[in-house]
Amino acid sequence: MTEVADICSNLIRIDTTNPGSGERKAAEYVAGLLDEVGIEPTVVESAPQRTSVLARIPGDGTDPDALLIHGHLDVVPADPSEWRLHPFSGEVEDGCVHGRGAVDMKGTLSMTLTAVREWARRGVRPRRDIVLAFVADEEATGEYGAGYVVEKHRDWFADCTEAISESGGFSWHQGGTRIYPVAVGERGTAWMRLTAKGVAGHGSKPAADNPVVELSRALVRIADHAWPVRLTPAVAQLIEGLSRALGTTIDIDRLDEEIERLPQAATLFRGVLRNSANPTMLEAGYKVNVIPGAAHAHVDGRFLPGFRDEFLETIDRLLGPKVTREFVSLDDAVSSPAEGLFDSLTAALRAEDPTGHPVPYVMSGGTDAKSFAKIGIRGYGFAPLMLPRDLNYFGMFHGVDERVPVDGLEFGVRVLERLLVDGPAAPSAS
């Protein structure tokens, strides 16, 4: 087994389910891998067992600004009864490492760790200082991970101007074309708890003011709302890049129709054309014959860069006068320019896959990039993987039978070497 696959497998075997027992064991494993090759780790805890690892690798001075590489140690829950192989086995089968976190994102952590360990063994210095942050709690609000290190250990990031992390740089296929979306932004997050209050009473009598009914009506209005298309500059760049790569014209005035025409390629932009709000949790009552005095629900809201106010105004109108909202988490949308470091990221991909077509990309969900953006660090989604055509990358996130190809991980290690040590190659025509 290659080193990157071995590290990935070992990380998966450490159960870091969030919520759960915490990330400390995984953090200790990561710290040990760094210490073993002379990279000094700093282990920090925001709460018992909620553990992150920080480290710095000096560069050769080619670039005076430090680059942050961050990733999360935690994973979402997995029910073993639903999986073909146990989700925490880390088993290698059919050329893939299997288990929860293989893609999101212990595979990416293993690529980073393999690359920096190889540099240390060879005495190689990257072109700029590299700050590593392996953090807790991304799969919740980030309060115990990225949020904590940004607030309590900000000095670590003082000279970091840019960062790379998950959800970008992977291969995606449309017909015979291999596309590499590199994330330059992500939608904002508005997780909301809704409350409707009414008059408690006996379930057999006419209700004076039933909060379950009021909340249900509000949720239906939210679920049925047709959010308008809002074409942001970054998504327009993505569509332009896809048009060039595919040798076709994607009509920005008929994007819903284009989604039907190009279903595979459209997966990259379908989720970022609009704001969205999805009811996800309900809580009301304690007995079938009692009308409760209050009802609650949670809604996962996402908004495009520049459209936060429009999103919230729409939500308030849909809720109506009898339902209130409070934020469980509210983070602005983030975006970074599709130039500068972006050009180096795409050049590194092309150097390993000259026939590939990197394009700018906007994530529909969110990452820890939001926390680091608050201290001025521009973030890019760049976890380079060359994947087989039949592997549903997006389906691996939080899905059943999550897995990542070993040769894809090895590809990612080579791309990181191109990016951080060898320097940008001359970009080829796309």
Side-chain angles (χ1 to χ4, degrees), residues 134-342:
F134 302 90
V135 300
D137 200 36
E138 192 272 347
E139 296 294 2
T141 63
E143 175 185 358
Y144 295 104
Y148 174 79
V149 298
V150 162
E151 179 182 355
K152 300 296 185 181
H153 299 278
R154 185 167 179 170
D155 288 350
W156 274 90
F157 315 106
D159 58 347
C160 294
T161 56
E162 298 162 319
I164 59 174
S165 189
E166 61 180 319
S167 297
F170 55 91
S171 62
W172 190 255
H173 297 83
Q174 172 69 53
T177 303
R178 192 160 49 244
I179 299 163
Y180 288 91
V182 176
V184 297
E186 54 192 56
R187 293 193 300 173
T189 300
W191 291 349
M192 297 168 285
R193 184 173 190 260
L194 310 182
T195 299
K197 294 183 178 179
V199 179
H202 199 289
S204 68
K205 297 180 179 180
D209 188 4
N210 190 328
V212 177
V213 173
E214 290 297 335
L215 183 61
S216 298
R217 288 170 177 160
L219 292 176
V220 169
R221 289 193 294 270
I222 289 173
D224 288 347
H225 181 67
W227 296 89
V229 170
R230 296 288 187 249
L231 188 62
T232 61
V235 176
Q237 286 181 307
L238 164 62
I239 292 172
E240 181 182 349
L242 288 173
S243 295
R244 288 197 304 269
L246 299 175
T248 187
T249 298
I250 300 176
D251 189 345
I252 61 173
D253 295 321
R254 302 176 66 254
L255 287 173
D256 287 329
E257 290 82 359
E258 296 288 48
I259 289 170
E260 299 297 322
R261 182 172 72 93
L262 301 166
Q264 281 294 104
T267 302
L268 299 176
F269 61 80
R270 178 169 46 201
V272 290
L273 296 178
R274 298 171 167 89
N275 298 330
S276 66
N278 284 309
T280 54
M281 298 169 63
L282 282 170
E283 177 189 355
Y286 53 90
K287 201 168 185 294
V288 68
N289 62 345
V290 177
I291 297 170
H296 306 281
H298 283 74
V299 170
D300 183 341
R302 310 285 174 146
F303 54 90
L304 293 163
F307 291 94
R308 169 175 161 169
D309 290 345
E310 179 185 84
F311 171 81
L312 294 177
E313 289 168 2
T314 302
I315 288 292
D316 288 342
R317 175 172 53 82
L318 295 172
L319 291 179
K322 292 188 176 182
V323 180
T324 60
R325 61 169 168 82
E326 59 183 317
F327 293 115
V328 176
S329 179
L330 178 65
D331 284 304
D332 278 332
V334 296
S335 59
S336 298
E339 58 186 16
L341 177 59
F342 175 85

Side-chain angles (χ1 to χ4, degrees), residues 169 178 180 182 342-358 382 384 386 410-430:
R178 192 160 49 244
Y180 288 91
V182 176
F342 175 85
D343 294 329
S344 297
L345 301 176
T346 60
L349 284 169
R350 287 194 183 106
E352 284 300 319
D353 183 6
T355 64
H357 298 268
F382 191 72
M386 181 186 284
E410 294 168 348
F411 171 85
V413 175
R414 295 195 301 271
V415 172
L416 291 176
E417 178 87 1
R418 296 270 192 182
L419 171 70
L420 301 172
V421 176
D422 297 341
S428 59
S430 62

Side-chain angles (χ1 to χ4, degrees), residues 118-131:
E118 179 61 20
W119 301 344
R121 287 189 290 256
R122 289 162 39 204
V124 170
R125 296 178 70 180
R127 295 167 59 82
R128 59 200 295 187
D129 280 16
I130 304 295
V131 175

Side-chain angles (χ1 to χ4, degrees), residues 15 25 53-54 67 72 84-85 88 91 132 142 147 171 188 200 228 244 260 273 281 308-309 380 399 405 411:
D15 185 349
K25 289 183 179 179
V53 181
L54 304 173
L67 175 72
H72 61 90
R84 188 176 67 84
L85 300 174
F88 299 107
E91 189 167 340
L132 302 174
S171 62
R244 288 197 304 269
E260 299 297 322
L273 296 178
M281 298 169 63
R308 169 175 161 169
D309 290 345
Y380 294 87
F411 171 85

Side-chain angles (χ1 to χ4, degrees), residues 20-44:
S21 57
E23 299 86 359
R24 184 166 185 85
K25 289 183 179 179
E28 289 173 344
Y29 174 67
V30 167
L33 290 174
L34 295 173
D35 186 62
E36 185 177 74
V37 294
I39 301 171
E40 183 178 355
T42 296
V43 177
V44 300

